[in-house]
Amino acid sequence: ADEAARLYGRMAPGRETSGGSAANTVAGIAALGLKAGFIGQVATDQLGEVFAHDIRALGVEFATAPLDGDVATARCLILVTSDAQRTMNTFLGASQYLPPAALDQRQIEDAAILYLEGYLWDPEEPRAAMERAIAIARGAGRQVAFTLSDSFCVDRHRGDFRALIDGGRIDILFANEAEIISLTQAADLAGALAAVEGKLPLLVVTRSEHGALAIRGSERAEVAAEPARVIDTTGAGDLFAAGFLTGHARARPLAESLRMGAIAAAEVISHYGARPEADLEALIAAKLG
């Protein structure tokens, strides 16, 4: 907390917006017209109040009780350079103390898809909460989607992530090219795809400016990246997942779901911040017809 305050004090004037990887994805899903809920912990402070207001204002069900005490709401300090690249420093705050008891079993059982982020596999309590959530979802016959989040998460938890996959507990895996190569420790993307073949019902891999691909059984689809004026790449993967999951939930063809993800990602990188500013439904409808 002290380091977050020190860094913030050294930063130039900026923009303060609600964020968080899975929260950004859920915000995108709600913007695309689907019903969504979010489970995550903030503190009883100003940033926590802002986060709760923002996500509920999008129509997302958010019922997790805030953490009352000395721990502050998480925040991520992001510096964006003129070539649209960014460096991030995250203070996990209250989010790293999310306990299994905070889960709403009905909320998980009622959802068609449970979506989890790898970032919170580090702290003990959220990891236990996610394992419990997976058990609830699978017990209710729901799909479980998991994003590897970042190569550093994979490096630290490769064994756990492989065990989830090998144990058949993940239905949809999201990864970028570097993450899937790190997970499998293959020499290249082709080797990584071969290494997980048959272990996942659905694999989605993003490749930045090279587009994205998805593999479902014997079916494989690829799309190019959508043209965009790149301002800030923060949230690209989060919104790609939002677009893809929306298409998947609506039983759209695999290539169309990928295209929806690419369109949502292109929108969010065209401005500062990790949540959509344009009408995503209208944007996708205009591009897909």
Side-chain angles (χ1 to χ4, degrees):
D2 291 342
E3 179 67 0
R6 185 188 73 81
L7 289 172
Y8 183 63
R10 297 286 301 275
M11 292 172 68
R15 304 185 185 190
E16 296 181 11
T17 62
S18 291
S21 179
N24 295 334
T25 298
V26 168
I29 288 170
L32 285 166
L34 292 189
K35 293 176 64 177
F38 178 73
I39 300 171
Q41 190 164 253
V42 298
T44 52
D45 55 18
Q46 183 180 15
L47 290 181
E49 291 178 4
V50 169
F51 178 91
H53 167 270
D54 286 353
I55 202 160
R56 288 172 181 150
L58 293 169
V60 175
E61 182 181 75
F62 177 48
T64 312
L67 181 64
D68 192 10
D70 296 331
V71 181
T73 296
R75 76 283 314 269
C76 182
L77 307 176
I78 305 172
L79 299 174
V80 183
T81 56
S82 58
D83 60 351
Q85 297 303 306
R86 79 279 193 275
T87 183
M88 309 167 73
N89 191 287
T90 304
F91 165 59
L92 288 175
S95 68
Q96 65 188 314
Y97 301 106
L98 175 74
L103 300 180
D104 181 338
Q105 182 167 337
R106 174 208 55 80
Q107 189 181 43
I108 297 169
E109 290 175 339
D110 286 351
I113 303 169
L114 171 71
Y115 179 74
L116 304 166
E117 62 169 274
Y119 282 124
L120 281 180
W121 202 262
D122 271 332
E124 180 179 351
E125 286 185 281
R127 182 170 65 250
M130 286 194 283
E131 289 178 326
R132 174 61 182 151
I134 290 171
I136 293 170
R138 299 205 70 81
R142 305 308 190 183
Q143 295 181 69
V144 176
F146 192 92
T147 175
L148 294 178
S149 293
D150 198 287
S151 293
F152 75 80
C153 294
V154 179
D155 291 341
R156 285 203 289 268
H157 304 293
R158 184 177 293 108
D160 283 355
F161 293 166
R162 283 181 171 179
L164 288 174
I165 294 168
D166 293 343
R169 300 171 71 193
I170 304 298
D171 299 293
I172 308 167
L173 182 69
F174 288 91
N176 64 28
E177 188 169 348
E179 290 159 3
I180 196 67
I181 289 173
S182 176
L183 178 71
T184 59
Q185 297 183 294
D188 53 25
L189 179 60
L193 298 179
V196 296
E197 184 177 1
K199 294 183 178 181
L200 289 160
L202 178 54
L203 171 67
V204 183
V205 179
T206 57
R207 306 184 64 209
S208 299
E209 69 274 17
H210 300 299
L213 64 88
I215 300 174
R216 180 170 56 198
S218 60
E219 182 184 6
R220 175 171 172 150
E222 295 189 46
V223 298
E226 285 291 312
R229 179 170 177 261
V230 185
I231 302 297
D232 173 15
T233 56
T234 308
D238 303 335
L239 268 295
F240 182 93
F244 183 89
L245 287 171
T246 299
H248 178 72
R250 290 175 171 160
R252 299 285 183 86
L254 201 56
E256 189 172 320
S257 295
L258 284 172
R259 184 90 191 279
M260 291 174 67
I263 293 168
E267 189 284 332
V268 83
I269 65 175
S270 68
H271 56 76
Y272 291 106
R275 299 212 177 156
E277 294 182 354
D279 184 333
L280 285 185
E281 275 196 295
L283 187 62
I284 288 175
K287 285 181 174 286
L288 294 184

